[in-house]
């Protein structure tokens, strides 16, 4: 059903770039179309006791309302497009027959978002919208990390505020490897290499086989000029 719905929604009987970045990763519009179709199908199967409950919404969110709930800004679209460009510049995408055409299309789209960034204060607008959303859902880790990223990307950098957002997320998920890694990387960016190493060592306590944590410790030591210690850490990572 989803295949049929997506094909019919395009008007040309082929999903293509209307719903996909390439051949597998869905755009926001593609994800919304699938979610809407599932909502409609599941809703039709539910008993009246649920569907007629006045406390539940009468219908699904519109695409525009969904984008607002997710705080889908021009900055986040720029980031997603940049991620897709970096992803598709690696195998297996580079082996595909339409690789160059896809790459040029992604570059054009990224250039469009970049021009928008130069003509409007995207970061400031996104920061304001995320802060507004967090007042309603303060425990939303996804919003917290996106706000931290803005503090890390804007100029001048505001590492103190970025770290504050990640700390809040870590209070909710103290053993989340990705969160700890991001916290350590932000500490590194702020020049706090010893503190960063402490975070990477936490990762190794949770997941001793996490080779990337050894590499981050070695990098932090190298940044401090402790080359002998860094070499020892890299060798330990190699042995893992």
């Amino acid at each position: 059903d989803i295949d049929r719905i997506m094909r019919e929604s395009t008007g040309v009987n082929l999903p293509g770039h209307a719903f996909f970045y390439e051949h597998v990763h869905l755009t926001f519009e593609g994800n919304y179309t699938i979610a809407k179709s599932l909502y409609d199908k599941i809703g039709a199967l539910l008993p009246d006791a649920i569907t007629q409950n006045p406390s539940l919404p009468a219908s699904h969110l519109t695409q525009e309302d969904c984008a607002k709930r997710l705080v889908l800004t021009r900055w986040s679209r720029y980031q997603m497009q940049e991620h897709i460009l970096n992803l598709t510049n690696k195998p297996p995408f580079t082996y595909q027959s339409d690789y160059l055409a896809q790459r040029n299309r992604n570059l054009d789209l990224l250039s469009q978002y970049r021009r928008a960034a130069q003509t409007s204060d995207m970061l400031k607008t996104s920061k304001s919208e995320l802060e507004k959303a967090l007042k309603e859902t303060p425990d939303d880790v996804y919003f917290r990390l996106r706000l931290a990223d803005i503090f890390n990307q804007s100029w001048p950098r505001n590492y103190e505020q970025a770290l504050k957002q990640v700390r809040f997320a870590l209070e909710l998920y103290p053993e989340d490897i990705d969160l700890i890694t991001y916290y350590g990387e932000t500490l590194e960016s702020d020049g706090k290499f010893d503190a960063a190493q402490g975070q990477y060592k936490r990762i190794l306590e949770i997941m001793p086989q996490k080779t990337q944590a050894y590499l981050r410790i070695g990098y932090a030591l190298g940044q401090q000029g402790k080359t002998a210690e860094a070499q020892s850490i890299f060798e330990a990572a190699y042995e893992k």
Side-chain angles (χ1 to χ4, degrees):
D1 285 348
I2 288 175
D3 175 62
R4 175 183 55 78
I5 289 169
M6 293 184 78
R7 285 189 284 105
E8 291 176 352
S9 298
T10 64
V12 294
N13 204 35
L14 186 68
H17 293 304
F19 296 129
F20 290 90
Y21 284 109
E22 10 67 7
H23 69 285
V24 63
H25 292 96
L26 291 163
T27 61
F28 165 73
E29 291 75 15
N31 277 302
Y32 175 83
T33 299
I34 291 178
K36 177 180 176 297
S37 66
L38 289 173
Y39 180 97
D40 293 338
K41 289 290 184 181
I42 293 172
L45 300 173
L46 295 175
D48 292 343
I50 294 178
T51 59
Q52 296 179 11
N53 187 333
S55 65
L56 297 176
S59 63
H60 56 72
L61 291 173
T62 65
Q63 185 168 302
E64 181 181 5
D65 287 338
C66 188
K68 288 181 180 178
R69 291 279 189 95
L70 294 172
V71 194
L72 186 65
T73 64
R74 283 180 292 178
W75 170 245
S76 52
R77 284 189 178 274
Y78 172 86
Q79 287 184 301
M80 287 188 289
Q81 192 61 48
E82 185 177 48
H83 174 74
I84 288 296
L85 180 63
N86 293 332
L87 177 69
T88 54
N89 278 342
K90 305 172 184 176
F93 298 98
T94 52
Y95 300 145
Q96 295 170 352
S97 59
D98 63 343
Y99 164 68
L100 290 178
Q102 290 275 17
R103 173 179 165 76
N104 289 335
R105 180 181 179 277
N106 286 328
L107 282 170
D108 287 342
L109 288 172
L110 192 63
S111 295
Q112 292 176 27
Y113 288 123
R114 186 177 290 116
R115 284 195 295 271
Q118 293 171 345
T119 57
S120 63
D121 201 342
M122 281 202 307
L123 283 174
K124 184 177 180 180
T125 301
S126 295
K127 174 177 173 292
S128 177
E129 293 184 20
L130 284 167
E131 288 175 335
K132 181 180 178 181
L134 280 168
K135 289 180 180 179
E136 298 180 9
T137 54
D139 290 345
D140 194 307
V141 171
Y142 177 60
F143 289 165
R144 292 279 176 186
L145 292 182
R146 287 172 60 192
L147 185 57
D149 189 56
I150 288 176
F151 285 124
N152 277 328
Q153 295 283 338
S154 57
W155 189 259
R157 306 285 191 252
N158 193 336
Y159 296 122
E160 181 180 352
Q161 284 299 318
L163 291 167
K164 178 181 177 181
Q165 299 302 322
V166 187
R167 279 197 299 271
F168 191 100
L170 280 169
E171 288 177 6
L172 298 173
Y173 303 99
E175 294 193 352
D176 187 291
I177 300 299
D178 290 334
L179 286 177
I180 299 172
T181 300
Y182 187 63
Y183 191 58
E185 289 173 346
T186 303
L187 286 167
E188 278 188 68
S189 298
D190 197 22
K192 298 174 180 177
F193 297 108
D194 287 336
Q197 290 177 61
Q199 296 302 313
Y200 301 138
K201 289 175 182 177
R202 278 188 61 204
I203 293 175
L204 293 173
E205 291 174 1
I206 299 169
M207 189 180 294
Q209 72 275 23
K210 190 71 173 179
T211 305
Q212 189 64 31
Y214 285 100
L215 299 179
R216 297 303 315 187
I217 292 172
Y219 175 79
L221 288 168
Q223 290 293 102
Q224 295 174 288
K226 301 177 181 179
T227 54
E229 293 179 57
Q231 181 178 345
S232 177
I233 291 293
F234 288 137
E235 289 173 352
Y238 178 77
E239 292 175 359
K240 293 291 179 179

